[in-house]
Amino acid sequence: MPESGHTPCVAGEGFTQDATFSYAPSAGFYTDPKIHDAEIRQIFQKEWLYFCHQSQLPKPGDYMVGEVAGHSFYAIRGKDQEIRAFYNACRHRGHQLLTGQGNVRMVVRCPYHSWAYGLDGQLKAAPKCDAVTGFDVSGIKLNQIRSETIGGFVFINLDPAAKPLREVAPTFEPKLLSMVAEAADLKYVKHKEYDIEANWKIVTENFLEAYHVAYSGKAHRALGNIIDIDTYRFSIDGRTIEYTARGGEADVLPYDVNEEDAFTNSRGMPFHQVFLWPNMTFSVFPRTNMLFVFNMMPAGIGQTAERIIYFTLDGKMSDPTETAEDYVSSQLNPEDVELVEAVQRGMESGGYTPGRLMVDPERQESWGEHFIHHFNSLNVAALTAPGSE
């Protein structure tokens, strides 16, 4: 947040720097097209975003196509085992090079005019290029996108001037590895997708606060049984928010339990979540032997494309783990979707006046909404940074 003592009104006049006295952001923060467009420019085209796990690209030539803020790109493993990302556009006439996921062996070939690129993006050949005066194959390379692999997870950034993820979020990697020391060895199992009729910030806020857990439905009350509240701890550190607790007893968990834990957890805290701004949460529930990622991408002013991605050490789910995945995908998340879509409808109704954020004076209570305040403070800072429009 700016240090002038006054919060820009992009989030509403009631949203103040001091979380203990702040009101929630105004409805326009979630419904104004200008704010949405600014978020695409200032956040999703400039910040580090989750893309995949390295296990999804195991061999040279393995690739995955993705899209961020309207920009198509792909990540590919090179002959040197490095994973790189490139804009998915041929340097000749812009035709998209790849679709979906697969393996191209050693060459990425454009379907339009058969320009062929190496796994490192370097143009290798173009039909008839010998007949074109001054055509220099060596001087043509696909436009590369910044990528960084941390704990086996691949992140991308469209901004060529962005600082490294390890620099802007220095505590993320150690927190991730304290959650699952074997993160780099994880294997992709599956994912579930949800098209949510709510702004991406509303969806993300719902994951950041526990104030609603005891009151908002059967699946959320079961979530309360997953967490031993007496050992619940959290830390807010820049772009990273961490939550830890011991798990509930096996007889109260809303799923079957594995007899042995697959992951090393040096702190003995089997409920563990790490949020990385702007839009992703890495989670481990007790005795599930899986790590899952919640990834929330804006698909419009009031639409979010949410993906939940599941990983285990062997790429398979035991029978107990399947019941835990079913609880998350078929019970907890649908209940969350209903909640956030109802919030969005309220924001759009024209009758919403922001209410006080529920924050205790010491900002120590797990139910507090200071996590929401911190999250939106980062969003406001990005939207009002020098050079932003």
Side-chain angles (χ1 to χ4, degrees), residues 267-288:
R267 292 185 292 178
M269 297 289 187
F271 171 82
H272 203 152
Q273 292 195 148
V274 178
F275 170 76
L276 179 63
W277 183 79
N279 67 331
M280 65 208 90
T281 300
F282 298 76
S283 301
V284 171
F285 280 4
R287 308 304 291 271
T288 63

Side-chain angles (χ1 to χ4, degrees), residues 128-133:
K128 312 298 184 183
C129 67
D130 292 342
V132 177
T133 302

Side-chain angles (χ1 to χ4, degrees), residues 63 65 72 74 76 88 95-100 104 108-109 111:
Y63 71 88
V65 173
S72 180
Y74 67 89
I76 191 166
N88 191 20
H95 194 287
Q96 290 192 332
L97 297 167
L98 298 169
T99 59
V104 295
V108 175
R109 190 176 299 278

Side-chain angles (χ1 to χ4, degrees), residues 1-2 4-13 15-18 380:
M1 298 288 291
S4 63
H6 176 69
T7 302
C9 62
V10 63
E13 293 294 342
F15 186 82
T16 62
Q17 289 194 30
D18 188 343
V380 169

Side-chain angles (χ1 to χ4, degrees), residues 1 10 23 33 35 45 102 105 135 137 167 169 188 197 201 207 215 266 274 284 287 289 293 311 314 328 357:
M1 298 288 291
V10 63
Y23 283 73
I35 291 178
Q45 292 183 358
R105 297 192 179 184
F135 191 96
V137 170
E167 181 178 337
Y188 167 82
E197 296 295 315
K201 297 189 297 298
F207 281 93
Y215 314 111
S266 60
V274 178
V284 171
R287 308 304 291 271
N289 290 346
V293 181
F311 301 90
D314 60 3
V328 174
L357 287 176

Side-chain angles (χ1 to χ4, degrees), residues 234-257:
F234 62 85
S235 66
I236 298 176
D237 189 357
R239 300 178 179 215
T240 305
I241 303 176
E242 181 183 38
Y243 310 82
T244 62
R246 296 190 185 280
E249 297 298 326
D251 61 346
V252 300
L253 293 175
Y255 47 78
D256 298 333
V257 301

